[in-house]
């Protein structure tokens, strides 16, 4: 039997997920097919039903559907529930189950030693769909400041995660950075075709770690500036691959053996 799965979004043509999953089907000698499906927000509920009824194992969910997909699901696991958003829907016995593997994806990017010792502050730029899974992973910090163009969205997100998370303003960034352990860009600023992200990485302390979840271009100006200073700096491609691996397991029951191989091949092609 051919395992069928895919990713739904709008737009979706740019998605790298089909390449990642179809590589893994081949690597693990599984008969499978993973496709990108453009789904208009007005058609989301019908599209999910149609895919489930045609025998798909499930779908990944991307912009702009993560919240609506969570709300449409029959059952949500605790990770998706904590986020109020789903990047993965599994179809099982006629039910839609919501999950969120962005949380585990970002955790794996941070490395196994993350959270050891004391950490004063994380600054998260952005309060869109990608910001929640990131905040979830830096809750070990004493303070998490979420900075977003639309401040009401940062405030709403901060409330979801409790008292150590607060909304901040762009104007306080320069004062925050010298005492920041983790700086994470979760906006679309710095992405190809989008305005630049204006952050002065020279203000960060020498132990700071910088993450930019944008992956086109592979090396954003934030990453370049952080690396020039010798800071640990991780781009968006690892998160994309590491959220895909548990999704693949959910579709197939098979653990991805070596996700770094597809990561390396994407890096080589995109650089
Ligand atoms: P989203 O829900 O549309 O959120 C976009 C975020 O960027 C919001 O915080 C938005 O602020 C901010 N933003 C957009 N244009 C801006 C501008 N001109 N000035 C200031 N802020 C601006 O998107 P998302 O799903 O969170 O994704 C954000 C980025 O992360 C995208 O580049 C996406 O490709 C990337 N991403 C990567 C991964 C990965 O696996 N690496 C996963 C998910 C997303 P407002 O709220 O004020 O609009």
């Amino acid at each position: 039997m051919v395992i069928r799965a895919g990713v739904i979004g709008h737009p979706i043509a740019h998605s790298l997920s089909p390449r990642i999953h179809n590589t893994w089907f081949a690597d693990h000698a599984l008969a499978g097919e993973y496709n990108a499906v453009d789904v208009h927000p007005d058609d989301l509920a019908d599209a999910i039903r149609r895919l489930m009824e045609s025998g798909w194992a499930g779908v990944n969910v991307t912009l702009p559907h993560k919240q609506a997909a969570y709300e449409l699901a029959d059952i949500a696991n605790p990770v998706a529930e904590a986020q109020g958003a789903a990047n993965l829907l599994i179809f099982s016995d006629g039910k839609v189950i919501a999950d969120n593997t962005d949380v585990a994806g970002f955790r794996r990017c941070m490395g196994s030693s993350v959270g050891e010792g004391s950490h004063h502050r994380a600054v998260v730029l952005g309060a869109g769909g990608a910001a929640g899974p990131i905040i979830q992973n830096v809750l070990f910090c004493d303070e998490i400041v979420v900075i977003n163009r639309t401040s009401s969205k940062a405030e709403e997100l901060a409330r979801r995660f409790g008292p150590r998370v607060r909304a901040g303003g762009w104007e306080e960034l320069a004062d925050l950075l010298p005492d920041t352990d983790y700086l994470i860009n979760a906006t679309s600023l710095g992405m190809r075709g989008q305005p630049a992200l204006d952050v002065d990485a020279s203000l960060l302390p020498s132990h700071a770690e910088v993450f930019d979840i944008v992956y086109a271009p592979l090396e954003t100006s934030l990453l370049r500036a952080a690396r020039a200073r010798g800071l640990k700096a991780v781009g968006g491609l690892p998160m994309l691959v590491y959220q895909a691996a548990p999704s693949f397991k959910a579709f197939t029951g098979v653990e991805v053996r070596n996700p770094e191989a597809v990561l390396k091949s994407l890096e080589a092609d995109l650089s």
Side-chain angles (χ1 to χ4, degrees):
M1 195 190 74
V2 176
I3 301 165
R4 297 178 68 209
V7 56
I8 56 172
H10 183 74
I12 195 64
H14 64 282
S15 175
L16 295 174
S17 294
R19 170 158 169 195
I20 296 170
H21 285 266
N22 288 322
T23 300
W24 288 340
F25 278 130
D27 287 353
H28 297 82
L30 291 170
E33 223 178 77
Y34 185 103
N35 290 296
V37 183
D38 196 315
V39 173
H40 189 275
D42 295 344
D43 188 37
L44 183 63
D46 287 347
I48 290 170
R49 289 283 146 200
R50 273 199 305 274
L51 294 171
M52 182 163 70
E53 282 162 14
S54 57
W56 283 37
V59 284
N60 286 117
V61 180
T62 190
L63 211 68
H65 301 314
K66 288 184 181 179
Q67 204 176 335
Y70 164 78
E71 282 159 10
L72 280 167
D74 300 301
I75 305 164
N77 77 7
V79 184
E81 203 174 323
Q83 294 295 325
N87 79 325
L88 172 64
L89 299 175
I90 295 300
F91 305 148
S92 176
D93 294 331
K95 299 262 186 252
V96 178
I97 303 164
D99 196 351
N100 195 316
T101 64
D102 282 337
V103 179
F106 189 69
R107 185 179 311 128
R108 196 157 170 187
C109 295
M110 293 191 83
S112 51
S113 62
V114 71
E116 285 172 11
S118 61
H119 297 278
H120 180 52
R121 177 185 292 136
V123 172
V124 178
L125 306 174
I134 287 162
I135 296 170
Q136 183 77 45
N137 279 300
V138 291
L139 287 175
F140 55 82
C141 292
D142 298 332
E143 179 185 58
I144 299 102
V145 185
V146 183
I147 295 178
N148 195 46
R149 173 179 61 179
T150 310
S151 55
S152 58
K153 280 170 67 182
E155 282 155 16
E156 195 183 317
L157 201 54
R159 273 196 298 278
R160 171 176 282 278
F161 289 98
R164 269 181 299 146
V165 185
R166 72 169 177 88
W170 286 99
E171 68 289 349
E172 58 177 307
L173 192 54
D175 291 335
L176 293 173
L177 289 182
D179 204 7
T180 290
D181 304 279
Y182 297 98
L183 172 66
I184 305 116
N185 176 38
T187 71
S188 45
L189 292 173
M191 198 174 152
R192 199 165 285 134
Q194 297 293 317
L197 174 67
D198 183 19
V199 172
D200 185 355
S202 72
L203 296 172
L204 286 162
S206 57
H207 69 271
E209 299 187 11
V210 175
F211 297 84
D212 192 337
I213 70 163
V214 166
Y215 51 82
L218 271 188
E219 185 170 67
T220 62
S221 59
L222 174 63
L223 293 174
R224 198 160 40 249
R227 285 175 186 147
R229 282 205 47 213
L231 305 183
K232 175 178 170 182
V234 179
L237 211 48
M239 179 178 174
L240 186 74
V241 170
Y242 292 139
Q243 65 74 33
S247 301
F248 187 82
K249 182 164 187 199
F251 299 139
T252 63
V254 173
E255 190 95 43
V256 178
R257 273 195 298 274
N258 180 13
E260 289 71 27
V262 84
L263 181 56
K264 283 203 182 79
S265 112
L266 284 169
E267 275 168 356
D269 287 359
L270 298 176
S271 56

